[in-house]
C-alpha cells in the first residue's frame, strides 16, 4: 500500500514519544526510525496515547497496545469506539463510558463522536443532540446548541475550544466556516482542518482561508479524515 502503510484509508494519527501510529481500516501501523511496522487485522477508528500505553478504538471495542512488549490486548467489548480521552472515557455509537480497572460506567446513553477533557469538564460531541458538557467532579450536565454531528473537539490556549461539525467549524456557538470538519490541528496560531474539500488552513485572527486540494497540490484526494502536529509539521490522514 501507500508509503509502507497497510491501507490508503487512514482513520487517525497519534504521536507516542518518538513514534507515530496510524489507525487504518486494515490494522495498525507504527512509524519509528524512518520505517514502518505493521499489525494487520481489524479496522481501528481512533487512537489515544496515554503513557505508557496506546489505546485503540475499534468496531468491536477498546484495545490497548503495550509499546515496550509490542502486545495488543482487548480491554472492553462494546459498540464501535469513535473517540478516547484521558480518564479513560470512550465515545461509542451507544453512548459515552468511563473505564476504570475493568469497570465501566455510562456517562450518557447518546450516540457520540468526539471527546475533550479540560479543567475537569468532559466535552461530548454527540451525533444528534449537540454538545453535552459533563462536570467529572460533580456529575452535573449542561448542553450547548452546536449542530450535530460534532466530529472533533480541539482546545486552543489562545482561542478557546473549537468544534468540527457536519455544518462547519465553530468556536463556541459561533460559526466560522461552512463545510464538514473531521479533524482540527493548531500550529503556530493557525488551524489546519481535515475536510472532504481538501485541507483548509484558517487564521482565526485575520479570517484568511487557504485551501489545499488535489488540483493545486500533490495530495491524491480531497477526502481528508485526520490530522496531527508532528515535529513542526502537520500530517494528514487521507481516505482513498
Amino acid at each position: 500500500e501507500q508509503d509502507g502503510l497497510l491501507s490508503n484509508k487512514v482513520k487517525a494519527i497519534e504521536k507516542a514519544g518518538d513514534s507515530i501510529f496510524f489507525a487504518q481500516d486494515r490494522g495498525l501501523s507504527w512509524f519509528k526510525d524512518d520505517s514502518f511496522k505493521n499489525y494487520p487485522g481489524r479496522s481501528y477508528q481512533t487512537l489515544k496515547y496515554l503513557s505508557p500505553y496506546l489505546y485503540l478504538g475499534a468496531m468491536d471495542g477498546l484495545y490497548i497496545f503495550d509499546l515496550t512488549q509490542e502486545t495488543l490486548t482487548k480491554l472492553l467489548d462494546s459498540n464501535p469506539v469513535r473517540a478516547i480521552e484521558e480518564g479513560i472515557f470512550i465515545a461509542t455509537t451507544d453512548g459515552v463510558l468511563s473505564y476504570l480497572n475493568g469497570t465501566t460506567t455510562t456517562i450518557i446513553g447518546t450516540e457520540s463522536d468526539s471527546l475533550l477533557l479540560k479543567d475537569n469538564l468532559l466535552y461530548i460531541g454527540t451525533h444528534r443532540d449537540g454538545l453535552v458538557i459533563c462536570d467529572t467532579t460533580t456529575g452535573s450536565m449542561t448542553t450547548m446548541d452546536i449542530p450535530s454531528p460534532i466530529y472533533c473537539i480541539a482546545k486552543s490556549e489562545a482561542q478557546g475550544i473549537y468544534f468540527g461539525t457536519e455544518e462547519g467549524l465553530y468556536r463556541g456557538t459561533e460559526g466560522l466556516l461552512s463545510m464538514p470538519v473531521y479533524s482540527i490541528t493548531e500550529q503556530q496560531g493557525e488551524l489546519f482542518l481535515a475536510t472532504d474539500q481538501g485541507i483548509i488552513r484558517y487564521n482565526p485572527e485575520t479570517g484568511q482561508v487557504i485551501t489545499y486540494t488535489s488540483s493545486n497540490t500533490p495530495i491524491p484526494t480531497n477526502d481528508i479524515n485526520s490530522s496531527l502536529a508532528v515535529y513542526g509539521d502537520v500530517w494528514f490522514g487521507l481516505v482513498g
Side-chain angles (χ1 to χ4, degrees):
E1 294 292 341
Q2 295 295 316
D3 300 322
L5 296 172
L6 288 164
S7 168
N8 293 335
K9 295 183 178 180
V10 177
K11 304 292 188 68
I13 312 171
E14 183 72 344
K15 187 174 184 294
D18 59 355
S19 300
I20 310 296
F21 287 89
F22 301 85
Q24 300 147 88
D25 62 337
R26 297 182 186 175
L28 177 71
S29 293
W30 182 358
F31 182 73
K32 184 179 181 181
D33 299 328
D34 295 324
S35 64
F36 282 94
K37 188 169 187 177
N38 292 318
Y39 301 83
R42 63 187 56 80
S43 175
Y44 296 109
Q45 311 299 306
T46 188
L47 302 172
K48 184 70 174 182
Y49 178 61
L50 301 172
S51 182
Y53 301 112
L54 179 73
Y55 292 84
L56 306 92
M59 297 297 289
D60 62 343
L62 180 67
Y63 290 78
I64 186 171
F65 183 80
D66 186 318
L67 279 69
T68 302
Q69 301 297 324
E70 297 188 25
T71 55
L72 185 66
T73 305
K74 190 171 191 179
L75 289 183
L76 178 67
D77 283 307
S78 74
N79 284 344
V81 175
R82 293 175 174 168
I84 306 167
E85 185 55 291
E86 60 182 291
I88 297 169
F89 299 97
I90 62 172
T92 78
T93 57
D94 205 33
V96 174
L97 308 173
S98 68
Y99 177 87
L100 181 63
N101 298 327
T103 300
T104 60
T105 303
T106 299
I107 305 298
I108 62 170
T110 302
E111 182 178 1
S112 300
D113 297 312
S114 54
L115 298 170
L116 173 70
L117 184 64
K118 184 177 185 292
D119 300 330
N120 294 320
L121 296 179
L122 181 66
Y123 294 81
I124 302 170
T126 73
H127 199 70
R128 298 181 183 86
D129 300 322
L131 182 75
V132 176
I133 305 171
C134 173
D135 187 321
T136 59
T137 58
T138 66
S140 63
M141 303 274 188
T142 57
T143 60
M144 187 180 292
D145 188 18
I146 297 174
S148 296
I150 302 172
Y151 296 122
C152 57
I153 309 173
K155 58 184 175 183
S156 164
E157 295 304 324
Q159 300 289 336
I161 298 178
Y162 289 95
F163 305 94
T165 79
E166 178 66 27
E167 295 190 10
L169 176 68
Y170 282 76
R171 182 171 53 207
T173 57
E174 177 191 7
L176 301 175
L177 297 174
S178 298
M179 79 278 286
V181 175
Y182 305 118
S183 180
I184 304 167
T185 295
E186 185 178 36
Q187 186 78 314
Q188 296 181 344
E190 294 185 301
L191 301 182
F192 291 82
L193 312 177
T195 81
D196 60 4
Q197 300 174 30
I199 298 166
I200 307 298
R201 183 175 184 173
Y202 175 68
N203 188 316
E205 293 290 338
T206 65
Q208 181 185 38
V209 175
I210 301 174
T211 303
Y212 304 100
T213 70
S214 57
S215 299
N216 60 17
T217 73
I219 61 174
T221 177
N222 291 335
D223 290 327
I224 316 297
N225 192 72
S226 54
S227 61
L228 181 72
V230 181
Y231 306 127
D233 296 323
V234 181
W235 291 22
F236 294 92
L238 313 184
V239 179

